[in-house]
Amino acid sequence: MEELQMLLENFWILREDRENFNKIRDAENKIKPFVEEKLGYRLIINPYIIKLEKVPSDVEEWMRIDAFQTPMDYAFLCLLLAFLEDKGPEDQFVLSNITEYIEAQYDGPDKVDWTLFQHRKSLVRVLNFAVDIGIIKIDDGDHERFSESEDTEVLYENTGISRYFLRSFNREITEDMKIEDFLQEDLNLSNPKDAVIQRRHRVYRKLILSPSVYSEGPDDQDFMYIKNYRNTIAKDLEEYLDAKLHLHKTSAFVLFNDNKYLKSYFPDKNKNISDIMLQVNKIIREMIEDGKLAYNPDDTIDITEAEFINIILKVKERFSDGWYKSYREMSEKQLIEEVIENMESFKMIKRVEELHSIKILPMAAKLIGEYPPDFEKGEGADE
């Protein structure tokens, strides 16, 4: 059901996207049973936006705003949302209104100083995000120039949809609240007998939002739920998302068919890092078959950071003729960090920093790749 795929892959659908807006609105009755009963999500449909309030069951590295780089970026976004609370749709304001408000309200460890490039650049990242997501419009000017000079002025217009950006909570948000408190807030049900409903919501969210779900041991009730209800889950995934459930002894994966709405997926044929990760997995599989790596009882493998770095360097030596020029010429340090960061993001490995080791997870052995014997480097390799 492509309407559900759109909702899962987009923060929201605005009415300006008339075709998809109407398509989802017409399919509301087909979508709701799955999102409400299986995921426990709230579907918001009004004349301005359609939004599926997606709350994860666990916090993961990829659940960040890609364009943001520092905690200050997130603080500035929250202050921008607060600034827009008093603005009506089509109300105009200038950049200096925003900077003055943020400077007065910011309560971070460092005072906001717009003479500092880092602070100005942080706000520019937030403003770009706000424009891209549709909560403000630029009527005149270019806020990119604010990175160069604090005297830059830009005219903005409020779209009126910022009020739907944050979801509502049943209790006051306090400074001592942790991320886990927000997750539990969404799953808490009034009747303790509804624990099975909580588990169902949590399991479906894990499967759909996470690259993989791993068993945490024989007492892991969530993984046991997947095993016990595998047929029902598989049927739901096939019917609503055109996806397949792959269940193994200690892991579960959802593999999607060709889905044009997916924004982040693996392997991505347009990203050379996907090829490199598959090749790393290929070397790992070969080492397992040669008896050079041994499984733990939970199907993970523990190796030192140095051993894993050596695997990456072996991959470079063996396969780099087929890589893009940017990766062929990349420094070893940068290549190693990018491979580790991406593999960790897709839950193929996990860094254990205190032990200076790498835990190889089951997904790394499931997806492997190499170039065919007759492979010749093409022209696109230098892009």
Side-chain angles (χ1 to χ4, degrees), residues 6 30 47 105 110 121 169 222-223 255 271 280 290 318-319 339 349 356 365:
M6 276 189 276
K30 297 179 182 177
Q105 299 296 326
D110 301 314
K121 192 63 178 176
F169 294 93
D222 287 356
F223 200 78
L255 300 186
K271 293 182 179 179
V280 169
D290 292 342
R318 180 167 159 185
F319 295 107
V339 170
I349 63 171
H356 300 287

Side-chain angles (χ1 to χ4, degrees), residues 317-349:
E317 180 181 356
R318 180 167 159 185
F319 295 107
S320 62
D321 283 349
W323 295 359
Y324 290 175
K325 182 178 179 181
S326 58
Y327 282 98
R328 292 200 307 271
E329 298 181 352
M330 186 179 288
S331 69
E332 288 186 354
K333 181 180 179 181
Q334 186 178 351
L335 173 66
I336 290 164
E337 186 56 37
E338 188 165 338
V339 170
I340 290 176
E341 181 180 324
N342 278 274
M343 291 190 71
E344 191 166 32
S345 176
F346 278 98
K347 299 181 77 170
M348 296 179 183
I349 63 171

Side-chain angles (χ1 to χ4, degrees), residues 253-264:
F253 310 89
V254 175
L255 300 186
F256 289 86
N257 292 322
D258 188 17
N259 183 342
K260 63 182 179 181
Y261 300 105
L262 286 176
K263 295 183 176 179
S264 178

